[in-house]
Amino acid sequence: MTAHNMSVIVIVIKGNIFKGVCIMVINADKFISALNSNEKIPNLTIAWGDESYYKDIIMSTLTGKVFAGVPEQDRSIVTFEQEVNFSALREGINTYPFFSGKNLIIIKEPELLDKEKKTAEGISDKRKNELQEFTEILSDVPEYTHVICLCGKIDKRLVFYKTISKIAAVVECTSIKSYSLKPWLDEQAASFGCRFEYQAAALIMEYMSIADSVPLLLLQGEIEKLALYAGDRKIWTAQDVAEIFSQLPEVSGFALGNAISERKISKVLELLAVERKKGSGNFIPVLFRVGFEIRRLCKVRELIDAGERKDMIAAILKMHPYAVQLMIATCQHFPLQALKHCLVQLAQINMDMRKGGRQWACLEETLLELFAATVK
């Protein structure tokens, strides 16, 4: 990109706007907000990370901005996936589009940026040369072309990143943890002119607490169903959430964990029976979910015994305060030693099952032993 025509942006966080002649690294939420607020868009965007939800929005928003008012049949879009042909890429970037006046070049998951491709000896000379050529091509994008590169992990130590991050919009598309989900939920509800009750948002966050990262695309679909279900009602309740989200795998896991915490023995056995009918392949996820709940009860109980207050427990465990409030009441009934003993037994089940040991029946016995030790 030559000095006189380089299209670059400054992101002013307070107003979420693009302006001027400098580019910086930004997270996906702020980048999307800036795109929606202004007509000016960067000629080169690198969207990296593990969250497809953000990448999809960035792709659709950029496409709409680049080809505003242009019929689909007249849009000049070239896509490269994994293997990038440098000659074709250079031609696509530099060929002037006669119908739309704009080019959009999409590069999806290029292998040469894959962080895992580096060997123990480092980067091969061949890959170094390829990265250098790739960097040179993307460093000279004309005004009539917009390039977006979508990738997973990116090695910030590469010359590619150090060079491109100075001239491109580098957007971090990282997943959201359940404890940080509240602003996203509020934003989703607001897009329908609605809002979640406190308990409703807390319930969703609790549903998602077992997942390492929240599946935003899946969650967005459930919220769309919720909006249809609620109709004209502008306030969404915990009951609404329970009705709509009942089919999610995370919710069935939550129901089991919740039944354990509430010491509902018959409900626990009923849910285990349902999961057992799904087949032996479902045992490991169930064992994981039970272990997750017992570990969390154990952690809360330890913090209670150490004299920690509710807000501190929520901060330490990164849980919603409402969920912590419920767990504190629950933990009063579980002796710490019983919880620790249960964890040891669950670990033993996990080891034994790999040698053909008992599974479902052993899990039921372990939980019944825990319930027998609870305090009324």
Side-chain angles (χ1 to χ4, degrees):
M1 193 180 291
T2 55
H4 68 275
N5 70 0
M6 183 167 62
S7 177
V8 288
I9 53 174
V10 167
I11 298 169
V12 182
I13 301 300
K14 184 176 181 181
N16 285 330
I17 60 173
F18 296 132
K19 181 180 180 182
V21 291
C22 180
I23 288 191
M24 63 182 290
V25 177
I26 188 172
N27 69 39
D29 281 326
K30 291 185 172 66
F31 182 72
I32 292 167
S33 177
L35 282 178
N36 288 326
S37 301
N38 300 272
E39 294 183 3
K40 185 66 175 176
I41 58 176
N43 285 79
L44 177 59
T45 301
I46 309 292
W48 71 278
D50 56 2
E51 186 48 73
S52 297
Y53 167 81
Y54 287 124
K55 291 179 183 177
D56 288 351
I57 293 179
I58 290 170
M59 267 294 308
S60 61
T61 304
L62 276 172
T63 302
K65 288 285 187 179
V66 170
F67 296 115
V70 179
E72 285 194 24
Q73 64 271 19
D74 293 335
R75 297 179 177 184
S76 176
I77 301 177
V78 179
T79 301
F80 298 88
E81 293 199 37
Q82 296 185 329
E83 290 287 345
V84 180
N85 183 304
F86 292 148
S87 297
L89 176 61
R90 188 178 281 108
E91 181 180 351
I93 287 175
N94 293 290
T95 300
Y96 187 83
F98 293 102
F99 295 104
S100 62
K102 295 288 184 181
N103 287 326
L104 179 61
I105 308 297
I106 303 167
I107 306 171
K108 294 183 178 180
E109 305 299 333
E111 285 189 347
L112 73 166
L113 291 184
D114 190 343
K115 189 176 180 181
E116 305 303 324
K117 291 290 183 181
K118 191 169 72 170
T119 65
E121 291 75 29
I123 300 174
S124 66
D125 290 339
K126 180 176 181 293
R127 188 180 172 209
K128 284 181 181 178
N129 293 334
E130 289 176 342
L131 282 169
Q132 182 178 348
E133 185 171 0
F134 190 50
T135 303
E136 290 172 355
I137 294 171
L138 295 187
S139 297
D140 192 21
V141 179
E143 276 291 325
Y144 53 79
T145 296
H146 293 271
V147 179
I148 176 168
C149 179
L150 307 169
C151 53
K153 297 179 181 178
I154 188 168
D155 194 337
K156 295 183 180 181
R157 295 168 296 180
L158 293 176
V159 173
F160 169 83
Y161 180 85
K162 293 177 180 178
T163 302
I164 293 300
S165 61
K166 296 175 183 178
I167 62 173
V170 180
V171 188
E172 189 172 2
C173 302
T174 53
S175 53
I176 300 177
K177 302 297 183 182
S178 61
Y179 54 81
S180 303
L181 193 56
K182 183 66 163 59
W184 186 88
L185 290 174
D186 291 340
E187 182 181 305
Q188 293 296 309
S191 70
F192 293 97
C194 303
R195 67 178 178 85
F196 284 103
E197 275 187 348
Y198 180 82
Q199 289 84 353
L203 183 57
I204 295 175
M205 293 167 70
E206 186 69 5
Y207 284 161
M208 297 296 125
S209 63
I210 190 173
D212 290 334
S213 300
V214 177
L216 293 181
L217 281 173
L218 179 64
L219 192 53
Q220 184 185 44
E222 297 306 303
I223 291 173
E224 289 173 357
K225 295 177 189 176
L226 176 57
L228 290 173
Y229 174 81
D232 294 333
R233 288 190 290 111
K234 299 301 181 184
I235 299 177
W236 297 340
T237 66
Q239 183 60 38
D240 294 333
V241 169
E243 290 288 341
I244 296 301
F245 285 61
S246 61
Q247 299 304 312
L248 286 178
E250 289 82 2
V251 175
S252 63
F254 170 80
L256 177 58
N258 200 40
I260 292 171
S261 294
E262 294 178 0
R263 299 176 300 141
K264 295 180 178 178
I265 301 175
S266 60
K267 185 66 174 178
V268 169
L269 295 177
E270 176 188 331
L271 290 170
L272 286 176
V274 170
E275 296 297 334
R276 188 173 188 170
K277 287 180 181 179
K278 295 178 182 178
S280 58
N282 199 44
F283 181 71
I284 292 178
V286 170
L287 183 64
F288 172 81
R289 182 60 182 93
V290 171
F292 174 86
E293 190 66 24
I294 302 302
R295 278 192 299 275
R296 190 162 62 164
L297 286 168
C298 193
K299 289 176 183 176
V300 173
R301 183 69 209 226
E302 285 179 330
L303 291 169
I304 291 173
D305 292 349
E308 297 290 356
R309 299 177 60 177
K310 181 181 75 173
D311 54 347
M312 184 57 67
I313 295 174
I316 292 172
L317 299 183
K318 296 182 178 179
M319 291 174 60
H320 195 281
Y322 179 70
V324 170
Q325 180 179 329
L326 296 178
M327 290 208 75
I328 288 175
T330 294
C331 282
Q332 308 296 336
H333 302 285
F334 287 97
L336 182 58
Q337 280 306 115
L339 291 169
K340 288 183 176 181
H341 179 65
C342 184
L343 282 176
V344 172
Q345 288 182 302
L346 292 175
Q348 190 64 49
I349 293 173
N350 187 36
M351 289 187 290
D352 290 345
M353 65 170 285
R354 303 174 193 278
K355 304 173 185 176
R358 297 161 65 235
Q359 298 180 13
W360 294 99
C362 199
L363 178 58
E364 291 173 357
E365 292 166 7
T366 298
L367 291 175
L368 288 173
E369 184 178 343
L370 173 64
F371 292 142
T374 58
V375 180
K376 294 183 178 181

